[in-house]
Amino acid sequence: MFDRIADFIARHQMFPPGARAGIAVSGGADSIFLLHALLELAPRWNLQLSVVHIDHGIRGDQSRADAAFVADLAARLHLKFHLRQADVPAIDDNLEQAARRVRQAFFAELLSTAAVDRIATGHTRSDQAETVLYRILRGSGLPGLAGILPVTKEQIVRPLLELDRPEIEYWLRQRNIPWRDDETNQDRSYARNRLRHEILPLLRDTFNPRLDEALANLATLAQDEESYWAAELRRRPSPSCNTPQILSTIELTALPAAVARRLIRQAIECAKGDLRQIDFAHIERILKMACSPAGHGQVQIPGLDVLRSFEWIRLAPAAPNHASSFDFSIPFAPPASVELPDGSARITLQILEKGERAQACGTVVNELDWGRFTSPNGAPSGLEVRNWRPGDQYQRMGQSRKQK
């Protein structure tokens, strides 16, 4: 059993030699088994182990008893103990979401202070099956079907993803190793618990007794697909994140939909900082906007304002009174260069001589007819750079009427 875990750890390069590995131990069966497994396997990578526990304060005395149980176990094993106590019920947020944020913040703190180099959690193949089925039912795309990743960019590792929960509990019982049961795991008011105790057992009995394996295999396939596409996207110029993102509608419409969707997801993540609350419908709205023959459009998705202007789509963080805060007008006397106030772009204009036989400018994308912007003596006539405003119109070359 430990050899299977060691092989999985090696395949995914979870621990560099000599790593300080924090083991997230809740007191439940999976985390207790993970602790014993890594104690057995630590010499293979010369790991320096410690125990990480979070008392979320959700279950009162029971939560404190869990913390005491784990602290005592760490002391008996002579392992350093990292404890974080929190009052999650007092946080004004969804209980599960608040607990997750407290957990992520504690893990990030331990990693950033070099108290640990990796944090191992006890997620199993049973957890993977529940996650994938849950995301299928919610309408997830392929990235969501990748489920629980063996290794994350935040340095969280999951060594037990090829083991099922029943075999872990059997191993512990055979050795009389105790663990703590969390009664909230039986609460059917949580969707995850209904999946675990009602829906998955029904599907195993009715359709496929090896359903957990099938769902875990689906996650592996999705992970490999996403790894491939991530490598393909890295071949393209990397966008600068934490700034407004600009996408070309010409490029998006020319690409296969699979690539276009991933470019849109990448732009959203760069502009927003994450992909939380972003679903299939949001991606499709932006893709539809890109494919529209109209050169304008605007949509709002969680955390972002998305605006199309001609052949460009701009994604920027949503802000209160965004329209008024983005009003600007800058006098502009070419040749010159000016940066837009929000830092999203720099506009540079040059004056070029064109021969008599040169064709008239038919687009405002790259060229403007200087004669239309100057007075008879050649001086600039009120040229300025400003934002689009309600009521603005223009008339394309060759068209008989103006459009907004």
Side-chain angles (χ1 to χ4, degrees):
M1 197 168 182
F2 289 161
D3 286 340
R4 288 166 57 195
I5 300 171
D7 178 66
F8 189 71
I9 290 173
R11 273 189 282 130
H12 293 280
Q13 301 178 334
M14 292 186 178
F15 301 112
R20 292 178 291 252
I23 307 171
V25 181
S26 66
D30 298 340
S31 64
I32 294 296
F33 174 81
L34 175 65
L35 175 59
H36 285 279
L38 289 183
L39 281 168
E40 177 72 21
L41 297 174
R44 302 195 188 192
W45 293 278
N46 190 30
L47 301 180
Q48 303 173 50
L49 302 182
S50 60
V51 174
V52 177
H53 181 81
I54 303 170
D55 176 3
H56 294 97
I58 296 175
R59 295 160 45 242
D61 291 342
Q62 290 297 313
S63 291
R64 288 185 286 275
D66 289 346
F69 173 82
V70 176
D72 178 67
L73 180 58
R76 286 190 283 110
L77 295 172
H78 307 290
L79 297 177
K80 187 173 182 178
F81 183 56
H82 305 281
L83 173 66
R84 170 59 50 87
Q85 293 177 305
D87 186 6
V88 170
I91 299 175
D92 185 18
D93 197 356
N94 171 276
L95 192 64
E96 290 179 285
Q97 180 68 22
R100 185 180 302 110
R101 288 179 177 171
V102 167
R103 182 166 60 250
Q104 291 172 343
F106 186 37
F107 289 172
E109 178 184 317
L110 291 172
L111 289 161
S112 65
T113 59
V116 299
D117 303 312
R118 301 287 189 277
I119 291 180
T121 67
H123 291 93
T124 66
R125 183 159 62 181
S126 303
D127 295 304
Q128 184 72 289
E130 293 165 11
T131 298
V132 173
L133 181 58
Y134 181 68
R135 292 181 179 178
I136 289 173
L137 296 175
R138 292 191 63 188
S140 173
L142 194 60
L145 297 186
I148 302 170
L149 302 179
V151 180
T152 74
K153 61 183 179 182
E154 294 82 14
Q155 307 305 324
I156 309 299
V157 299
R158 282 73 178 249
L160 307 184
L161 276 181
E162 290 192 335
L163 275 65
D164 295 312
R165 191 175 297 119
E167 63 180 318
I168 286 174
E169 293 183 358
Y170 176 80
W171 188 93
L172 293 173
R173 289 193 182 96
Q174 288 292 101
R175 291 157 181 79
N176 295 315
I177 298 175
W179 70 83
R180 298 277 298 178
D181 282 318
D182 182 347
E183 66 273 12
T184 61
N185 288 332
Q186 302 297 323
D187 186 349
R188 302 301 204 271
S189 65
Y190 294 106
R192 193 64 174 258
N193 289 341
R194 292 197 298 275
L195 275 178
R196 176 180 298 179
H197 299 295
E198 297 174 4
I199 298 173
L200 272 167
L202 177 63
L203 293 174
R204 292 188 196 105
D205 293 341
T206 308
F207 292 100
N208 184 357
R210 299 177 64 181
L211 181 61
D212 289 35
E213 181 182 352
L215 290 169
N217 290 341
L218 177 59
T220 299
L221 290 172
Q223 289 167 17
D224 291 342
E225 290 287 327
E226 288 306 298
S227 294
Y228 168 80
W229 283 112
E232 287 297 302
L233 290 181
R234 282 195 293 271
R235 299 174 185 270
R236 310 173 67 87
S238 299
S240 298
C241 289
N242 301 315
T243 62
Q245 299 294 301
I246 306 296
L247 295 173
S248 165
T249 63
I250 296 174
E251 180 182 25
L252 289 178
T253 54
L255 289 169
V259 183
R261 289 189 181 103
R262 283 170 170 81
L263 285 177
I264 292 171
R265 282 176 57 86
Q266 182 185 65
I268 291 173
E269 187 171 16
C270 274
K272 183 174 180 284
D274 57 58
L275 289 166
R276 284 195 294 269
Q277 297 182 296
I278 301 299
D279 59 27
F280 177 79
H282 298 128
I283 306 295
E284 291 304 289
R285 287 172 68 188
I286 297 174
L287 187 58
K288 183 178 179 180
M289 179 193 293
C291 297
S292 171
H296 57 85
Q298 185 171 7
V299 299
Q300 287 188 318
I301 63 176
L304 292 179
D305 287 325
V306 184
L307 175 69
R308 175 173 175 178
S309 180
F310 303 109
E311 285 78 33
W312 303 100
I313 292 179
R314 180 179 184 273
L315 301 90
N321 301 319
H322 175 73
S324 61
S325 65
F326 194 59
D327 279 346
F328 65 91
S329 177
I330 305 171
F332 204 20
S337 179
V338 64
E339 183 172 347
L340 298 189
D342 67 343
S344 64
R346 174 176 289 275
I347 295 177
T348 300
L349 295 188
Q350 297 175 312
I351 303 174
L352 302 176
E353 293 291 340
K354 300 195 73 174
E356 292 182 1
R357 296 184 179 180
Q359 294 182 350
C361 300
T363 171
V364 295
V365 174
N366 296 316
E367 296 175 332
L368 299 171
D369 187 345
W370 178 242
R372 297 171 60 193
F373 294 98
T374 56
S375 62
N377 62 9
S381 178
L383 190 62
E384 65 177 359
V385 176
R386 67 166 174 83
N387 59 293
W388 287 99
R389 296 173 186 169
D392 280 350
Q393 295 181 325
Y394 84 110
Q395 184 172 334
R396 284 182 180 269
M397 182 73 71
Q399 290 190 352
S400 59
R401 59 186 180 87
K402 296 179 180 180
Q403 65 183 81
K404 291 184 180 180

